[in-house]
Amino acid sequence: MSCSTVVLWPAQGYKTAFMGLLSDPNRRRALISTLTRLNAPICVICYMAGVAWFMGLAFDPFTLRTYMSENAMGSTMVEERFPAGERAMATGREFAAHKKKADGMPVDWLVKTMQSRGLEVFTQTFTRQLPFPDENKERYLVKGTNVYGILRAPRAPRTEALVLSAPCSPGNNNNQAVGLLLGLAQYFRSQVYWAKDIIFLVNDHDLIGMQAWLEGYHHTNTTGMDYSPLQGRGGSIQAALSLELSSDVITSLDLVLEGLNGQLPNLDLANLFYAFCQKIGVLCTIQGKLQRNDWDTASGYSHAVQTMMLMVLKQASGRPWGDHGLFLRYHIEAATITGVNSFRQYKTDATTVGRLFEGMFRKLNNLLERLHQSYFFYLMPSLSRFVSIGYYMPAFGLLALILLLRALDLWVQLVSPPPREEDDIEQPSSPGVLSVLTPLVISHLTGAALYTLPIHSQEMAVEHFPVSETEAVVLTVIAIYTAGLALPHNTNRLLTGQGTEQGWKVLKLVAVLYLAVLLGCTALINFSLGFILAVTLVPMAAYITPHVPKALSAFIMIALSPACTLLFCVFFFQELQETPVSFMEGWMLFLSVISQGILDNCLYGSLVYPLVSLMVYPCWLLFWNILFWK
Amino acid sequence: MCVCVRHWAGLANILLPRSVQGFCTMKLLSLLCLFSVYLVVWSNNIETKAGQFFSSGHTNNWAVLVCTSRFWFNYRHVANTLSVYRSVKRLGIPDSHIVLMLADDMACNHRNPKPATVFSHKNMELNVYGDDVEVDYRGYEVTVENFLRVLTGRMPPSTPRSKRLLSDDRSNILIYLTGHGGNGFLKFQDSEEISNVELADAFEQMWQKRRYNELLFIIDTCQGASMYERFYSPNLMALASSQVGEDSLSHQPDLAIGVHLMDRYTFYLLEFLEDIHPASTANMNDLFKVCPKSQCVSTPGHRTDLFLRDPGSVLITDFFGSVRKVELTTETINLTITEEPVKERPMHGDLQKERQSYIDQLPVSEIIHQQQSRVKCKHVLAAVRKGHHEIQQNGVAMGRNCVSHSLRTQWMLCVRMTFSKRMSITFSLLKPVFFQPIKVTPNSICAIEA
């Protein structure tokens, strides 16, 4: 064989691999033979390097300090004069009283109050029936009203707008946020320098209200929501801030960036927030964690890793982590700022928080175009440091490289099969399209069932089992998922009789390339999701053959399957949030996460659930099929 | 002085062809006697002062002030330009002689908390927008094309006079530019830029078209010195806020307005100019000291090698003001040589019809850069200037413009003849050129120029 002759001088081929690699067939062969011979060690090294690279991202010297890129915003050079924090808190209390009286959004009072502050006030009603009851928030048929007031720019054309929103939450939450919003509206009204309309929005039923308002504002309807059209509008929205505040004084402000499908606002928005926190002297956090300066100690590093991992997990979940999350879909840079009142001694009053917002709005007012100068793809190990896409992508690239190397290996094996007896030379050359296509089709059908059946069959499940609708949906998901494990690995034998050696290699080649493309695309859109899936699926994909010990491999495969990954992530997330849970609590959380994922998909169009059920799970099933190849 | 004159005579010996040489040397010798007498009288102190009074050689002042940046966060560039505008206007250049180009209207920007003002100092101390600002080019009219058209005078016929730079060869022009720039270019409005080569060529064109007597170029931008390093036309003096590789920095951050109000260099330039009044004797050397590195952070640069006068003898008001050569004194100044009134111009038809053409452009830059040649040439020039009076003594009346033309021609001639390495070739080439000032009598030039 030509391969064996070339193997005699692999070192030379390796050395000159970079020059004329593809033009010289000898060298090409030498390189390929090297790659196939050293395939396993290279894969192991790649995996370790990929994970090490990722862990290194949180290491301070490898990250960049954040800096403001947008010239138009420049620095924090602005004089904050908002004086009326106390009055705003009083308004908040008044709002709370009216909310209690109206048992929900006090629409009339809000309209009257906003009008008295000189805004153009409008309301929007909406109705939304959830596919199944949301047990976390205890809602099924949601009816609500959004109230918003527009402060028109005094001297500018009404072509651009900024949004400040505060949710009208059940209970005693966020009353102060609405109070501060009204206080800021009154103060902003008396200023002459606004070049953009400012919209003050109080949204009902948090994200559902926000969804209705945004769809009404942009004349879209992506999720089949029933809402009344908006009567008044400003210009195109350039940026939005969402405020959550449930106490009169705060100890710190937390910035929430993660939006729908792992989208992030432009980093300049985070920079702006950080700059004003520094200027005004408010403690600010991201993921609820302060930044620390002792990066060279183990605890400092682990703190940064925890912060970054929290961001990765939140981003991977693909759900909006604050009311701002839905703005990002419309390319509106948005963030949620949450007031935290912990047991720290030093407290900040509402006037200071109001000044911070004043400063941020004045700087956003200076924008000439949408925020675009800084990064859209980044991870933050602390509020003052970031890792850009150029730095984190290699970590994923190293993992994806494993799949390509395995694919190359398989390809070489398929093209030049090892010498064997002459009599069965006919058989391996044609493994048959059917033997590859059948598992593909069957696993995808399972995936489609996983995506569609739970919601459609919930009534049937409720009839036959003593469970609530929500439980029915989640348990159906788990049942279909588990059933999928039993299904496909028998089909091959039924259809084509005996599986061949060539057959599983072709199937694995297809599956590996499929996984590589799938993970590559996912990582481009949502790096965190792509990376978490890659960390678990890639070693499994590289390792699985029909010849490995079945029971152990099956156990490993299930442990690395998407569902178990999700379960681990739930525990890991609780651990990172310093609220560790027992196994049963974790299991309940796991179930509620599944139901939330399906709800996010139905309500806001989150793509994680369809991605996992329609793509990742079927892909995983292909490998399961290979393991049980006979 | 005598040496100079002899030098001039010697030069004449070298230069003039034999046919005219005799005539010319004779004349020159007689002129020389008169001239030396005249010089002795002029050494008188008061009259020296009076001489300085006329030394700059310009009769009118122009200013082209350009801000090339748009957008609210470039407030400072508009304030820069307006502060120079304020200074030149205060020192006497009227709006008709100022071409003001502002790329954005900061006073009416929506984001301006104090509408209809542009401040140069913190706490709203100085409003450089003032009461009457006449902006000639604004907004998107501020383009490289329009700027070069203003400089070179190549305007469409419909252009109003207020948008033109109607200077002549007795004009001192101040050109002030500010904006965002880099090594060798200045950005205009985010869409185009002017390079230092284009700018140098524009000035050369101005020189060839006799659009200035002397020109002061000031630029406040990052790496500003790169903008003047390609200049090659004579009588240019240039200043920049920073050297190549340096950024020019902003100054006067104002929290109420929310932007930087000025750039450092222009801020200190304004401070300096605020102390200048029409009778100030501050000269260019004082201007070069404006904004040392301790204040500017960047290193301001200047270039004087193209300028023929000593910067120390050039008053600030020669460029920043429009100071007429009139001063009331109680003392009586005895000028022995009084200017004779211009005699009536003979309007002979044949003389009028005689067509004149500009002489060939000389490789001035090459010549200028030879230090030695410059020194010698200055002597010649001085002699030529003095010669003007001798001509007058001989009863030939000349208008000022006529003199300038002939002087310049002779001066160029001397430069080329003395220092060209290929003397013989140049000489033969120059024959027609040389003949011009002789053949064309001053009167005829006057007639034509009139």
Side-chain angles (χ1 to χ4, degrees):
Chain A
M1 302 241 48
S2 59
C3 249
S4 56
T5 57
V6 177
V7 168
L8 295 174
W9 40 283
Q12 191 189 349
Y14 196 78
K15 218 184 293 175
T16 55
F18 299 104
M19 315 178 296
L21 181 70
L22 295 171
S23 54
D24 184 347
N26 284 333
R27 283 174 184 160
R28 183 170 55 194
R29 245 175 276 135
L31 178 74
I32 289 171
S33 76
T34 313
L35 285 179
T36 43
R37 267 189 321 123
L38 299 175
N39 200 286
I42 293 178
C43 285
V44 172
I45 290 169
C46 276
Y47 188 78
M48 284 174 7
V51 174
W53 186 295
F54 179 75
M55 296 310 286
L57 293 179
F59 191 50
D60 219 60
F62 297 161
T63 59
L64 292 175
R65 181 160 278 283
T66 53
Y67 55 90
M68 196 88 87
S69 303
E70 177 59 76
N71 265 328
M73 292 201 300
S75 57
T76 55
M77 188 170 51
V78 68
E79 190 175 19
E80 301 87 2
R81 293 189 194 159
F82 176 69
E86 280 308 310
R87 198 144 47 127
M89 290 304 102
T91 317
R93 284 189 285 276
E94 204 179 331
F95 169 76
H98 282 90
K99 188 168 82 172
K100 209 169 196 176
K101 206 159 66 181
D103 191 24
M105 180 80 119
V107 178
D108 295 335
W109 180 83
L110 262 179
V111 169
K112 200 164 57 102
T113 317
M114 281 188 176
Q115 270 168 352
S116 73
R117 280 158 171 71
L119 307 182
E120 287 178 30
V121 189
F122 306 94
T123 59
Q124 181 206 27
T125 56
F126 58 90
T127 319
R128 180 77 166 105
Q129 185 172 11
L130 272 53
F132 56 91
D134 181 354
E135 293 195 343
N136 281 24
K137 290 179 175 159
E138 292 169 354
R139 58 189 182 188
Y140 180 55
L141 182 62
V142 179
K143 282 182 183 173
T145 311
N146 292 323
V147 181
Y148 64 102
I150 304 176
L151 161 58
R152 298 293 182 189
R155 287 184 284 148
R158 299 166 176 186
T159 52
E160 291 178 346
L162 301 172
V163 172
L164 175 61
S165 80
C168 173
S169 313
N172 277 327
N173 289 332
N174 291 324
N175 295 330
Q176 282 81 354
V178 177
L180 188 55
L181 176 128
L182 293 170
L184 281 171
Q186 186 167 22
Y187 173 71
F188 284 2
R189 178 71 176 84
S190 59
Q191 306 305 317
V192 294
Y193 45 64
W194 299 114
K196 304 179 198 305
D197 293 348
I198 299 181
I199 302 175
F200 296 91
L201 167 68
V202 180
N203 55 314
D204 207 357
H205 294 292
D206 52 60
L207 280 166
I208 297 180
M210 195 57 96
Q211 169 87 358
W213 190 80
L214 279 169
E215 297 210 325
Y217 198 91
H218 294 101
H219 291 303
T220 57
N221 199 340
T222 52
T223 54
M225 182 177 278
D226 190 18
Y227 58 81
S228 64
L230 297 188
Q231 298 301 317
R233 43 203 307 112
S236 92
I237 302 173
Q238 305 291 300
L241 289 179
S242 190
L243 171 63
E244 288 177 11
L245 190 65
S246 300
S247 56
D248 284 3
V249 288
I250 56 152
T251 49
S252 62
L253 286 173
D254 189 48
L255 180 69
V256 185
L257 297 170
E258 300 84 3
L260 187 70
N261 290 325
Q263 272 185 292
L264 300 170
N266 194 279
L267 186 58
D268 266 343
L269 198 63
N271 297 340
L272 184 68
F273 171 73
Y274 179 63
F276 272 101
C277 283
Q278 295 288 97
K279 183 188 176 194
I280 292 180
V282 184
L283 277 183
C284 55
T285 59
I286 188 162
Q287 322 300 350
K289 295 199 184 285
L290 285 167
Q291 64 264 34
R292 286 166 52 158
N293 295 322
D294 55 341
W295 54 269
D296 45 353
T297 64
S299 69
Y301 171 67
S302 87
H303 185 83
V305 171
Q306 284 172 23
T307 315
M308 189 179 76
M309 286 310 297
L310 272 171
M311 179 159 187
V312 166
L313 289 172
K314 281 183 175 180
Q315 196 187 11
S317 75
R319 63 176 323 207
W321 285 82
D323 283 354
H324 74 282
L326 297 173
F327 282 96
L328 299 171
R329 172 191 277 159
Y330 301 93
H331 199 342
I332 298 165
E333 307 316 315
T336 298
I337 296 172
T338 311
V340 179
N341 192 14
S342 68
F343 301 109
R344 279 177 192 277
Q345 284 227 309
Y346 183 75
K347 307 277 186 190
T348 307
D349 63 350
T351 308
T352 314
V353 179
R355 286 189 173 170
L356 183 126
F357 273 83
E358 184 200 349
M360 286 183 76
F361 267 90
R362 260 198 90 175
K363 282 296 159 186
L364 290 170
N365 180 51
N366 282 357
L367 282 183
L368 298 158
E369 23 188 0
R370 287 175 191 279
L371 285 173
H372 66 283
Q373 300 275 11
S374 194
Y375 297 90
F376 285 98
F377 296 93
Y378 53 87
L379 295 174
M380 299 190 87
S382 78
L383 196 48
S384 59
R385 300 211 151 250
F386 75 102
V387 183
S388 74
I389 185 169
Y391 286 86
Y392 67 56
M393 262 314 184
F396 175 80
L398 284 166
L399 297 186
L401 186 64
I402 296 171
L403 295 176
L404 297 182
L405 284 173
R406 295 310 289 181
L408 180 75
D409 188 32
L410 284 166
W411 178 254
V412 170
Q413 283 179 31
L414 284 169
V415 169
S416 55
R420 54 166 78 186
E421 284 95 65
E422 288 296 310
D423 54 342
D424 58 7
I425 201 154
E426 292 298 308
Q427 199 195 355
S429 60
S430 57
V433 180
L434 210 59
S435 70
V436 177
L437 205 58
T438 318
L440 265 177
V441 169
I442 289 178
S443 56
H444 277 90
L445 284 178
T446 320
L450 182 63
Y451 179 60
T452 51
L453 282 185
I455 291 175
H456 291 293
S457 65
Q458 53 169 309
E459 283 170 27
M460 205 170 66
V462 171
E463 274 175 33
H464 290 87
F465 301 97
V467 287
S468 71
E469 280 95 340
T470 317
E471 281 169 328
V473 169
V474 175
L475 292 177
T476 317
V477 168
I478 294 172
I480 295 175
Y481 190 92
T482 323
L485 304 187
L487 260 180
H489 62 269
N490 288 324
T491 54
N492 188 281
R493 205 168 30 167
L494 283 174
L495 284 167
T496 59
Q498 193 68 14
T500 60
E501 191 70 7
Q502 289 282 53
W504 75 260
K505 282 185 179 167
V506 173
L507 179 60
K508 183 167 175 186
L509 179 62
V510 170
V512 163
L513 290 176
Y514 180 29
L515 185 64
V517 172
L518 182 61
L519 292 181
C521 294
T522 310
L524 282 180
I525 298 164
N526 184 343
F527 167 78
S528 302
L529 183 61
F531 187 79
I532 288 176
L533 288 174
V535 164
T536 53
L537 292 179
V538 165
M540 179 275 293
Y543 159 78
I544 287 301
T545 65
H547 308 304
V548 291
K550 289 274 186 300
L552 179 66
S553 306
F555 176 73
I556 293 174
M557 269 201 78
I558 290 175
L560 293 177
S561 80
C564 289
T565 309
L566 178 61
L567 184 64
F568 296 143
C569 285
V570 168
F571 281 107
F572 189 39
F573 183 71
Q574 294 299 324
E575 200 65 38
L576 287 174
Q577 287 213 312
E578 292 160 13
T579 52
V581 288
S582 69
F583 183 77
M584 268 323 285
E585 288 170 318
W587 178 255
M588 295 314 290
L589 268 176
F590 172 66
L591 298 184
S592 90
V593 164
I594 293 174
S595 72
Q596 291 296 315
I598 299 173
L599 276 178
D600 284 347
N601 175 40
C602 298
L603 291 178
Y604 319 121
S606 159
L607 291 174
V608 175
Y609 180 61
L611 179 81
V612 171
S613 59
L614 293 175
M615 301 280 200
V616 180
Y617 174 64
C619 188
W620 180 85
L621 275 183
L622 290 178
F623 291 101
W624 184 255
N625 201 327
I626 292 163
L627 178 65
F628 291 99
W629 192 271
K630 286 193 177 113
Chain B
M1 263 315 174
C2 264
V3 179
C4 298
V5 177
R6 208 179 292 155
H7 191 88
W8 162 236
L11 258 178
N13 265 333
I14 299 163
L15 302 182
L16 305 185
R18 264 171 213 285
S19 52
V20 271
Q21 207 172 11
F23 162 74
C24 212
T25 26
M26 281 271 286
K27 204 169 184 182
L28 274 170
L29 280 172
S30 59
L31 285 175
L32 191 95
C33 304
L34 288 164
F35 191 45
S36 47
V37 174
Y38 157 81
L39 280 177
V40 171
V41 177
W42 263 54
S43 62
N44 184 311
N45 213 5
I46 300 168
E47 281 149 18
T48 313
K49 268 188 194 169
Q52 280 172 359
F53 200 67
F54 297 106
S55 68
S56 89
H58 71 283
T59 59
N60 57 78
N61 279 84
W62 287 81
V64 180
L65 314 175
V66 188
C67 158
T68 65
S69 310
R70 294 181 77 74
F71 306 131
W72 175 241
F73 61 93
N74 289 322
Y75 185 98
R76 58 186 190 277
H77 293 153
V78 174
N80 285 346
T81 314
L82 283 173
S83 67
V84 178
Y85 174 81
R86 167 195 164 87
S87 301
V88 296
K89 208 168 158 182
R90 184 175 57 79
L91 290 170
I93 305 185
D95 267 327
S96 60
H97 280 54
I98 302 174
V99 180
L100 179 61
M101 306 173 96
L102 294 182
D104 206 343
D105 183 3
M106 288 311 160
C108 296
N109 194 295
H110 323 305
R111 297 167 180 88
N112 194 343
K114 301 282 167 195
T117 57
V118 175
F119 291 102
S120 66
H121 284 55
K122 270 192 275 197
N123 305 322
M124 306 176 194
E125 278 170 14
L126 181 58
N127 176 13
V128 287
Y129 198 65
D131 300 324
D132 55 338
V133 174
E134 191 183 305
V135 184
D136 300 302
Y137 290 81
R138 61 176 187 157
Y140 289 115
E141 287 178 335
V142 182
T143 58
V144 173
E145 182 186 337
N146 277 347
F147 175 60
L148 292 180
R149 283 187 183 282
V150 165
L151 291 189
T152 55
R154 299 175 189 276
M155 311 292 276
S158 59
T159 314
R161 286 178 68 87
S162 66
K163 289 191 165 194
R164 289 171 187 262
L165 180 68
L166 297 165
S167 58
D168 56 32
D169 65 346
R170 294 285 93 194
S171 302
N172 273 12
I173 305 182
L174 166 70
I175 293 185
Y176 175 85
L177 294 175
T178 184
H180 290 285
N183 192 348
F185 68 89
L186 175 71
K187 199 159 68 85
F188 268 66
Q189 306 229 17
D190 284 349
S191 56
E192 51 181 352
E193 68 272 321
I194 188 171
S195 73
N196 49 4
V197 178
E198 286 169 320
L199 195 62
D201 289 343
F203 288 152
E204 174 60 20
Q205 222 179 108
M206 288 173 80
W207 171 248
Q208 289 188 22
K209 295 180 81 178
R210 300 200 277 157
R211 285 173 66 76
Y212 70 82
N213 171 48
E214 284 166 338
L215 194 148
L216 177 65
F217 175 81
I218 302 181
I219 185 161
D220 187 347
T221 178
C222 295
Q223 317 204 33
S226 66
M227 286 305 284
Y228 62 59
E229 65 189 11
R230 298 297 175 107
F231 289 176
Y232 56 94
S233 311
N235 285 354
L236 288 181
M237 189 172 341
L239 289 98
S241 59
S242 56
Q243 297 296 327
V244 178
E246 282 183 338
D247 285 346
S248 291
L249 299 169
S250 53
H251 201 21
Q252 299 289 311
D254 187 283
L255 291 177
I257 296 171
V259 285
H260 283 97
L261 300 185
M262 285 278 267
D263 281 317
R264 281 177 180 270
Y265 181 74
T266 311
F267 179 79
Y268 289 107
L269 179 66
L270 175 65
E271 300 265 280
F272 171 76
L273 290 175
E274 286 293 291
D275 292 336
I276 302 289
H277 51 87
S280 294
T281 52
N283 60 43
M284 285 297 157
N285 283 334
D286 299 320
L287 186 64
F288 297 153
K289 289 180 199 132
V290 164
C291 201
K293 197 170 182 189
S294 56
Q295 289 175 323
C296 250
V297 184
S298 60
T299 322
H302 58 267
R303 182 173 171 189
T304 53
D305 57 336
L306 296 169
F307 205 74
L308 293 176
R309 285 196 287 157
D310 172 26
S313 69
V314 182
L315 299 179
I316 298 296
T317 48
D318 281 357
F319 288 100
F320 282 90
S322 184
V323 181
R324 295 279 155 240
K325 305 297 179 194
V326 176
E327 195 170 323
L328 296 177
T329 60
T330 48
E331 291 173 77
T332 311
I333 299 171
N334 241 343
L335 295 176
T336 45
I337 302 152
T338 48
E339 292 263 339
E340 289 180 28
V342 177
K343 282 179 184 170
E344 54 171 319
R345 291 167 181 168
M347 301 293 279
H348 298 305
D350 52 336
L351 271 175
Q352 265 183 297
K353 279 173 195 162
E354 197 177 346
R355 289 198 53 85
Q356 300 296 321
S357 59
Y358 291 121
I359 51 169
D360 293 343
Q361 180 55 40
L362 296 165
V364 181
S365 61
E366 277 176 32
I367 298 155
I368 289 290
H369 285 298
Q370 297 170 6
Q371 190 64 29
Q372 193 190 6
S373 66
R374 215 180 82 242
V375 174
K376 285 185 182 171
C377 220
K378 272 186 177 173
H379 287 268
V380 175
L381 185 72
V384 169
R385 283 224 164 119
K386 300 296 182 280
H388 156 54
H389 296 281
E390 290 173 285
I391 293 162
Q392 284 182 337
Q393 285 294 307
N394 276 359
V396 185
M398 295 169 75
R400 200 154 195 176
N401 290 341
C402 314
V403 176
S404 82
H405 184 221
S406 64
L407 281 183
R408 185 177 293 140
T409 320
Q410 287 173 22
W411 171 70
M412 283 182 178
L413 187 66
C414 95
V415 168
R416 183 181 278 191
M417 289 310 294
T418 322
F419 307 109
S420 173
K421 284 174 185 163
R422 287 165 295 175
M423 178 76 93
S424 57
I425 301 166
T426 325
F427 183 68
S428 61
L429 281 174
L430 268 179
K431 263 186 180 175
V433 179
F434 158 73
F435 268 110
Q436 255 177 349
I438 305 299
K439 198 171 75 181
V440 181
T441 67
N443 282 339
S444 71
I445 300 172
C446 286
I448 289 153
E449 290 198 342

